[in-house]
Amino acid sequence: MNDKELTRSLGNCLDQLAAGEAIAACLAQHPEQAAELAPLLAMAVELGSLRGYGLSEAARRRAHARLLRAEVDRNSRDVTHGWRFGSLAVSRLAAGLALVFACVVLTTGMVAASQPGDLAYPVRTFVERAPVLLQATAEAKATVELRIADRRLADLETHLATKGEIAPAAIEALLAGDRAAAGRADELTQTERLLAASRVAAHAVALTNLARSAQQPLAEATLQAAAVEAESLAQHLERGSESEDTPSPTDAGPTEPPAAPAIGVPPASVTPIPESQAPEASTSAPLPTSGQPTRRNEMLSATPVPGRRATALAQTATAPIPTDTPQPSPVNTATNGPDTPVPGRRATALAQTATAPATVATDTPQPAPVNTSTSRPDTPVPGRRATALAQTATAPAPAATDTPEPSPVHTPAGGPDTPVPGRRATVLAQTATPAAAKSAGSSAVGTPLAP
Amino acid sequence: MFAAIDDAQVLSVMPACQRGDAGAVARLYDLYADRIYRYVLARTGDQQAAEDLTADVFLRVVQHVQRFKLDSSRPAASVSAWLYRIAGNLVTDYHRARSRRQVVSIEAETPFALAVPDPSQQAERREALERLSGALEKLTEDQRLVVIRKFGDGMSNAQVAAWLGKTEGAVEALQHRALRTLCRLLGAKHGGT
């Protein structure tokens, strides 16, 4: 007999017992398995005694009471837990916001207080250029760019003063601002360009001064190179103004444009020039040469303090200029003369700058104090753009006496026909020293200066 | 035989229990308390402990009912299985705690026990229950559940099979082995009959 048959027989017997039959009756149906089924059925009957057990009413009431208390406690806990969870969530949110705020404040503070050499300094230079994007006009953009460049210059000066080393990032940011301003030269008016040029030139002067004070040759060279580039940018701005006002060759002729007389070469009779120098006047004035430098170059080279703007200009001017460049034809000089600069040539611009103010200097009965100071080119000049510009505007006064007398063609025709150099000088002078400029402008032709 | 608890009864109670309805928990207790009580009594052999543990089972239900996931395909079976699992854990804890300390039964001195008209009959009955519960503890959980649900609650093999998720043949085999083990453990008395 196997287990399966016994299991089946047990199942049948248990069903019969559940139906109310007696054990003996079940065993009688399975006589061959009775010996094995009997104890199993007896155990099943004993287990059936469990049915007689049940909870008393007292136990039920106690259980109900306990469950009720537990349910109330749970509900109150849920409320408290919900409140606590909500409070915790709010607290976490507030803490997170506070953390974010603190991070923002700290980061902003770090960035704002960063100096050249700090990790956050590039971020600062980048962020501080953001206001440029908010400006609508080119003038405003250029103004902001230059203001930012001023900050970079201040950073550079501070860094150099405190740590004794240059900050390439600041230099690059400074030049970037100047480049951006110069890049908008075409969109600016003449006055705006000249103002921007004066600021960029001031950067060049400051960089030159810093180069002089630099302890290391590499730093000096870097700063000097930056100064040269800044000066070049300033000249770009200045040339932009000149090229805008420069009449085209077809326009420039013996006839005098209405704007030309504003700032022009005075009549020959006004400026007594030694006869012996007359032949050189028409040839040396437009283009400087090494042998016969322009008045501007003379002035700059005569300036004893290197590192000033004049020095930078001299360096810039002398480098690209061919020394043996022939002079323009007398006709050109006479008709267009300084009014026709060599495009892209520093020498021509400088020549124009140097030549034109001669009128101012010579026409002025009583030279302004600036004239007096610039009449002594050996006097050290403070490294300020204003002074340098004034110097630029008025320096040729004493040089005018050294300048050979312009050719007759040049003097009367070129005078009113050369508005740009004179205007530039006057405006720059106006920017630098209004009093001197005023006197210069009024003494030149008596025409009010254009704004 | 006790009336089986159908799915509709469970579905009318459990959602309310999960919402924190104290009355629903009381109804759930009324539905399952006797079955749980017999299971606990069969394993402990102590009526007072079985009553307390039965109440504890439903206290656990109160604590955890919100996290219980009702099987919508067989709600009654899932709730019942959950309750028996809680009861089994509490009984295990009860036996573990009881084995650590010297237990002095004071049941004979309780007013409830004294109220029984025939103390000797009560003692004999208690002794038989303790022996049975001791033997039941030697079974596997499936064997124990089969014999308790079948002989204690009067369920058929089909009901037990459905409740455990097994076949009727498996349930018959489990009950056969369980009865044979109990006979061997309880030995002399049943072997002689």
Side-chain angles (χ1 to χ4, degrees), chain A residues 431-442:
Chain A
T431 306
T433 54
K438 183 179 179 183
S439 62
S442 60

Side-chain angles (χ1 to χ4, degrees), chain B residues 95-178:
Chain B
H95 285 302
R96 187 179 296 127
R98 194 179 180 209
S99 66
R100 290 187 192 136
R101 65 175 184 268
Q102 185 71 26
V103 177
V104 177
S105 175
I106 57 173
E107 187 176 348
E109 300 175 359
T110 59
F112 176 77
L114 294 175
V116 176
D118 188 354
S120 61
Q121 187 180 0
Q122 182 198 5
E124 185 179 347
R125 192 179 177 186
R126 185 175 62 248
E127 184 182 354
L129 186 60
E130 288 177 352
R131 288 179 60 246
L132 181 61
S133 65
L136 285 170
E137 287 303 297
K138 305 296 182 182
L139 302 180
T140 66
E141 182 64 14
D142 279 349
Q143 292 173 353
R144 198 158 45 223
L145 286 173
V146 165
V147 295
I148 292 174
R149 297 305 311 265
K150 180 176 176 63
F151 303 113
D153 296 340
M155 295 173 69
S156 66
N157 287 345
Q159 289 173 321
V160 174
W163 180 66
L164 288 176
K166 299 180 182 297
T167 64
E168 288 190 46
V171 170
E172 287 180 349
L174 284 171
Q175 76 179 0
H176 183 195
R177 285 195 291 272

Side-chain angles (χ1 to χ4, degrees), chain A residues 202-399:
Chain A
H203 294 163
V205 171
L207 286 169
T208 306
N209 289 337
L210 290 175
R212 287 201 66 246
S213 62
Q215 304 290 332
Q216 302 168 351
L218 179 61
E220 181 181 359
T222 304
L223 290 167
Q224 193 63 47
V228 168
E229 182 175 352
E231 185 56 37
S232 175
L233 293 170
Q235 288 302 315
H236 173 76
L237 285 164
E238 292 171 2
R239 280 200 305 273
S241 67
E242 292 166 358
S243 63
E244 182 185 70
D245 289 347
T246 301
S248 63
T250 55
D251 295 333
T255 57
E256 299 172 1
I263 305 167
V265 178
S269 59
V270 179
T271 306
I273 299 173
E275 192 68 24
S276 59
Q277 298 176 356
E280 298 177 0
S282 61
T283 57
S284 62
L287 286 175
T289 61
S290 59
Q292 295 175 339
T294 62
R295 295 178 181 84
R296 174 68 174 271
N297 281 342
E298 287 174 356
M299 175 198 72
L300 296 176
S301 60
T303 304
V305 182
R308 304 214 175 273
R309 176 173 179 263
T311 306
L313 289 172
Q315 291 172 344
T316 309
T318 55
I321 299 170
T323 56
D324 54 350
T325 303
Q327 304 83 358
S329 67
V331 175
N332 285 341
T333 307
T335 57
N336 300 329
D339 201 20
T340 310
V342 178
R345 289 296 178 186
R346 166 75 175 151
T348 304
L350 288 174
Q352 290 171 343
T353 307
T355 305
T359 304
V360 178
T362 54
D363 273 0
T364 305
Q366 293 178 346
V370 177
N371 275 342
T372 305
S373 64
T374 55
S375 65
R376 293 175 291 154
D378 289 339
T379 304
V381 180
R384 286 297 173 191
R385 170 63 179 166
T387 308
L389 289 173
Q391 206 175 22
T392 305
T394 57

Side-chain angles (χ1 to χ4, degrees), chain A residues 7 46 60 66 71 74, chain B residues 20 34 56 62 151 176 190:
Chain A
T7 300
E46 185 172 348
R60 289 179 186 276
R66 290 180 64 188
E71 189 68 32
R74 189 193 72 170
Chain B
D34 283 330
D56 289 344
V62 170
F151 303 113
H176 183 195
H190 297 93

